[in-house]
Amino acid sequence: MKKLLFFSLVLFISQFANGQSVKESFDDSIRNQIHYLDSLTLYNFEIGQDSLARSLCLKSIDLKKKEFGESSLEHASSLSILAEILLDMDNDKEALCYANEALQMRKDISGTNSAEYVNSLNVLTEINYCLSKYDEAKKYCNEAYMISKKALGHKHPEYARALNSVALVNCAEGNYTNAVFFGQEAMALRKVLLGTDHPDYFQSLSNLAAFNAFSGNYMDAIRLGKEVSLLLKKKYGNMHMDYAGSINNVGFYYTQIGGYEEAIRLFEESAEIQKTIMGIDNSRYALSLNNIAFCKSELGKSKEAIQVGEKALEIYLNLYGTESEGYEMALLNLAAYYNEIGNYNKAINLATDAKVLCQKIYGERHPEYAIVLSNLAKFYYLKGEINKAYLLSKEELDIRRETLGEQHPDYLKSLQSFSFYCNKLGKISSSYQNEREAIDKLYTHIRSNFAQMFSYKRNRYWNLHSNEFCYYYPSLVYQYQTAESISDLYNKSALFAKGILLNTDIEMKKIITESGDSILLNNYLDLLSYQDHYNKLIETPLAERKTDKDSLHLMILTLEKELEIGRAHV
C-alpha cells in the first residue's frame, strides 16, 4: 500500500500516436534501422508495452555502438531511455546502472550545462526516489534544478521535470506543503509547454494528487486522481497499464478516508486490466492483490485477506524468488492479517522472515527495515512479550533518527510508540521524556503547518493530533507527577489548544500584510468580510436569510485555497 506508482517520462513522437506504420520509410541502412527501432521503442513505451520496448531498445543500443561508437550521445540517449523503461517495469536497480552510465557519458561529451546531462540527473532522481535512497535523490535533484534554471531557462521541459523532482524530494522528507507547491509549479509549466494531452502533464497531475494525499487532503487527492484516470482513459483506452496504475492510486486515496468498498472495486478493476495485458505473473498485478487484501482486512475479513495475500506472495515468489522487495512486502502484510485473527506465532514468524529479507535487501540502517521492526514490535506486544517489543521499538527509533532525522514525521511516530512501550514496562520517567520530546516536535510541526492553513484544514489537522495533547500526554504527567511536568502540561496542552487558532490567524495576517502583495492582501480582507458575514448568517433565522449559506461557505473555502497557494509564494 505504501508504494505509489508515478508515471515515467515518455519522449513521445507524435507521428506514431495512432500506431502509424513506419515501414514505408524503412530501408536497409543502419541509421534508418536505428531510427525505426527508436521510434518503435518510444511508441511501445507510450502505449504501455514495456517488455517489447525494452527488447527494441536493446537492439537499437547494439546498432548505435557499432555505428556511433560506445562513447556517443546517441548511445547515451538509448541508455537513458532503457533506464526509464526498466523503472516503469519496477526493475529499479538495473535502471540505476544504465542511468549512471548515461550520466557519465553525457557529462564527458556534452558537459554539465547541457539538456542531456540534466535529463540524466532527473532520471537518477526518480530512480533513487523509488529505491528510497532519498539523500542520493536530493543530491541529483538539487543539481538538476540549479543547472536547468541557469543554463536552460524557465521554459524548458527539463526545468519542469526538475521542479517535479524537487516536489518528490520534499515529499520524501515530509515537507508536503512544499511538495504541493513545487508540484503545482511543474504542472502549470508542463501545461503551457506540452499541453494537457502529454504524458508529462499526466505525471504532474498524478504526483500532485499523491502530495495532497500525504498532506491529508484526501478529497483533493481523489478529485485529481480521477482527473488523471479520465485523461488516460481518453488517450489510451481502459486497457493500458498507466490507466490501471491511476485507478489503483485513486483506490489508495479512498482507503485513507475509510472508503474500502470503493477502493476494492478500483483495485479489482486495476488487477483485471493488469492480468489481461501482462498475465498473472507480473508485479503490478501482485501489488493490486496486496491492496485488495489490505481493504478486506480493514473490513474485518481477515481470512479473505489471507487468501488474497497468499496469492500475491506466490506471484512475487514466481517472479523474483524469495529475495525481492515485493516478496518482503507481501510477507509483512500476511503477518498483519494473521495477527488480526489472533495467530500471533504465525504473524511473528512471517514478520521475522520479512526482517531477515529486508536486512539483505536494504541493510539494517534503512527506513524500510524500521517499518518491519515497528510491525514486529506490535506483534510481540500483542502476544504479551512487552520487553521484546520495547527492544525492537528502540532499534526502530535509532534507525529513523539516523536515516530520516529528528524532524521527520516517521521519527515522531517512532518516539510515540517507544514512549508507549516504556510506559507498559513501568519505565515512567523514560516514557515521559520521550513523549515530551514527541510533544515538542508535534507542537513545532503543528504551529508550522497551521501558519499556512486556514480554518477548514486546521480543524481536520488538529483532530488528527489532539489525542496526544488532550489524553495521552496528560495521563503520563499524572503518573510522573513533578512540578516541571505539570507546568509543562499546562503550557503544551491547555494554553496551546486554546490559543493556537487565534495565534495562527494573527501570524497569517502579519505574513500577508508584510508581503507587499496588494492582490493577496485584498483577497485576505475579502475573506475576513465573508467569514464575518457567514458567522452572522448562521445565527439568522432561515426565513430571514437573504444569502444562501452553502454558496457563501463554498466561496470562503475557494478563497482560502487561493490564499493558501498565494501564501506559498511569499
Side-chain angles (χ1 to χ4, degrees):
M1 285 297 295
K2 297 197 175 198
K3 186 171 182 184
L4 189 62
L5 299 178
F6 294 109
F7 298 117
S8 296
L9 175 72
V10 178
L11 304 173
F12 184 62
I13 299 177
S14 59
Q15 73 186 77
F16 304 115
N18 299 313
Q20 181 179 331
S21 174
V22 294
K23 283 222 174 210
E24 295 172 4
S25 60
F26 173 71
D27 61 38
D28 290 332
S29 73
I30 291 179
R31 296 202 175 192
N32 275 336
Q33 290 180 54
I34 289 170
H35 174 70
Y36 176 60
L37 287 169
D38 284 350
S39 299
L40 286 181
T41 296
L42 295 171
Y43 172 66
N44 279 282
F45 188 25
E46 169 75 7
I47 64 173
Q49 297 294 331
D50 291 341
S51 294
L52 180 55
R54 176 181 176 274
S55 177
L56 291 164
C57 189
L58 287 170
K59 289 179 181 178
S60 177
I61 286 172
D62 287 339
L63 289 177
K64 284 180 178 179
K65 284 192 288 187
K66 293 176 183 177
E67 181 71 8
F68 303 107
E70 293 204 9
S71 296
S72 64
L73 282 178
E74 290 81 3
H75 182 206
S77 175
S78 284
L79 289 175
S80 185
I81 292 169
L82 180 59
E84 298 198 55
I85 295 169
L86 292 167
L87 179 63
D88 207 46
M89 296 173 73
D90 299 323
N91 194 342
D92 303 338
K93 291 181 180 178
E94 191 177 352
L96 185 62
C97 294
Y98 285 112
N100 277 318
E101 189 178 349
L103 177 77
Q104 190 58 51
M105 205 176 290
R106 285 169 159 178
K107 182 179 180 180
D108 294 340
I109 299 169
S110 299
T112 58
N113 286 331
S114 65
E116 293 87 357
Y117 181 72
V118 174
N119 172 263
S120 282
L121 291 173
N122 281 322
V123 172
L124 280 164
T125 299
E126 292 168 10
I127 294 172
N128 279 284
Y129 177 86
C130 290
L131 287 168
S132 301
K133 295 181 176 180
Y134 300 130
D135 287 341
E136 287 291 298
K138 187 174 184 178
K139 179 185 75 174
Y140 291 119
C141 165
N142 288 341
E143 189 178 357
Y145 178 72
M146 295 304 295
I147 294 174
S148 61
K149 186 176 182 180
K150 183 178 179 181
L152 304 180
H154 292 183
K155 294 184 178 181
H156 196 284
E158 288 300 335
Y159 175 69
R161 190 172 184 181
L163 285 173
N164 185 70
S165 296
V166 173
L168 286 177
V169 169
N170 273 279
C171 180
E173 293 179 334
N175 299 324
Y176 303 127
T177 301
N178 286 344
V180 170
F181 170 69
F182 283 107
Q184 287 171 332
E185 290 283 295
M187 184 178 73
L189 185 54
R190 283 171 161 176
K191 184 177 182 179
V192 172
L193 294 176
L194 306 169
T196 58
D197 193 42
H198 194 278
D200 287 8
Y201 178 76
F202 303 158
Q203 180 199 48
S204 281
L205 199 59
S206 179
N207 288 354
L208 194 56
F211 303 150
N212 273 279
F214 293 143
S215 303
N217 303 325
Y218 300 120
M219 298 311 297
D220 284 344
I222 290 170
R223 176 181 58 80
L224 290 166
K226 285 183 174 180
E227 187 178 343
V228 175
S229 297
L230 287 173
L231 287 170
L232 287 165
K233 189 174 184 179
K234 181 180 178 182
K235 187 173 181 69
Y236 302 123
N238 60 356
M239 280 295 149
H240 192 279
M241 291 298 288
D242 285 349
Y243 173 71
S246 72
I247 60 175
N248 184 79
N249 289 349
V250 176
F252 173 79
Y253 306 144
Y254 270 110
T255 66
Q256 303 304 294
I257 59 171
Y260 299 115
E261 290 88 351
E262 177 64 13
I264 286 177
R265 185 189 70 77
L266 290 165
F267 290 148
E268 287 179 341
E269 183 184 352
S270 177
E272 191 61 33
I273 294 167
Q274 290 156 345
K275 185 171 68 171
T276 301
I277 294 174
M278 299 184 69
I280 291 176
D281 284 336
N282 76 82
S283 60
R284 297 198 181 186
Y285 177 63
L287 181 61
S288 290
L289 291 180
N290 261 326
N291 293 347
I292 293 167
F294 170 84
C295 291
K296 288 184 178 293
S297 165
E298 292 298 309
L299 290 170
K301 302 176 181 179
S302 299
K303 291 183 178 178
E304 291 182 29
I306 289 171
Q307 291 175 349
V308 178
E310 285 179 341
K311 287 182 183 177
L313 186 71
E314 184 180 355
I315 292 171
Y316 284 121
L317 180 64
N318 292 337
L319 284 173
Y320 308 117
T322 59
E323 296 189 4
S324 71
E325 297 165 17
Y327 188 78
E328 179 265 327
M329 176 181 67
L331 277 176
L332 197 58
N333 287 348
L334 268 180
Y337 308 146
Y338 276 105
N339 178 70
E340 289 167 4
I341 63 173
N343 193 339
Y344 302 129
N345 288 329
K346 180 76 170 178
I348 288 170
N349 288 338
L350 288 168
T352 301
D353 289 343
K355 176 174 173 281
V356 172
L357 181 53
C358 190
Q359 185 179 8
K360 288 182 180 179
I361 296 172
Y362 301 105
E364 290 186 354
R365 315 309 289 180
H366 193 281
E368 291 293 328
Y369 189 68
I371 292 173
V372 179
L373 295 178
S374 177
N375 280 274
L376 199 51
K378 178 184 176 182
F379 302 154
Y380 272 115
Y381 169 73
L382 292 172
K383 191 185 176 186
E385 298 186 39
I386 302 174
N387 195 57
K388 285 185 178 180
Y390 164 82
L391 293 173
L392 288 163
S393 180
K394 186 176 186 303
E395 187 180 356
E396 169 207 342
L397 181 66
D398 290 340
I399 292 170
R400 282 182 166 159
R401 180 189 292 112
E402 178 186 321
T403 59
L404 301 176
E406 295 187 2
Q407 304 308 315
H408 196 280
D410 286 351
Y411 176 73
L412 173 60
K413 292 176 185 177
S414 295
L415 265 179
Q416 292 167 332
S417 297
F418 186 59
S419 170
F420 175 80
Y421 295 128
C422 286
N423 191 23
K424 292 301 177 182
L425 284 175
K427 299 176 183 288
I428 303 302
S429 174
S430 180
S431 179
Y432 168 75
Q433 295 299 333
N434 281 284
E435 181 62 20
R436 181 177 177 180
E437 183 184 349
I439 284 287
D440 285 342
K441 293 185 183 303
L442 191 54
Y443 176 90
T444 303
H445 187 60
I446 289 175
R447 284 190 63 83
S448 173
N449 280 281
F450 265 50
Q452 302 177 59
M453 294 180 182
F454 288 90
S455 57
Y456 77 106
K457 286 188 178 179
R458 288 184 197 152
N459 290 331
R460 183 169 56 196
Y461 194 75
W462 173 249
N463 289 336
L464 187 65
H465 297 294
S466 61
N467 186 63
E468 291 292 321
F469 285 94
C470 301
Y471 300 103
Y472 185 62
Y473 186 55
S475 73
L476 276 179
V477 171
Y478 177 76
Q479 295 175 69
Y480 194 54
Q481 284 293 336
T482 68
E484 181 189 3
S485 68
I486 292 170
S487 173
D488 190 65
L489 168 66
Y490 183 68
N491 290 325
K492 285 292 190 295
S493 56
L495 287 180
F496 179 60
K498 289 179 181 178
I500 189 167
L501 294 179
L502 174 63
N503 289 338
T504 49
D505 274 332
I506 294 170
E507 288 172 16
M508 176 63 76
K509 184 176 181 180
K510 181 180 178 183
I511 290 167
I512 291 175
T513 303
E514 292 179 353
S515 71
D517 189 327
S518 59
I519 296 175
L520 196 62
L521 180 59
N522 287 334
N523 285 344
Y524 181 66
L525 293 175
D526 286 344
L527 175 65
L528 295 180
S529 176
Y530 290 156
Q531 287 175 332
D532 182 59
H533 184 42
Y534 182 80
N535 290 334
K536 291 177 181 177
L537 187 66
I538 59 177
E539 296 174 359
T540 304
L542 281 171
E544 299 175 21
R545 293 180 185 176
K546 296 181 180 180
T547 306
D548 180 64
K549 176 177 71 69
D550 292 336
S551 297
L552 184 58
H553 187 234
L554 181 61
M555 288 173 64
I556 291 170
L557 293 181
T558 302
L559 195 52
E560 283 185 342
K561 288 186 178 183
E562 290 176 359
L563 279 165
E564 191 171 334
I565 294 169
R567 158 67 184 86
H569 288 268
V570 176

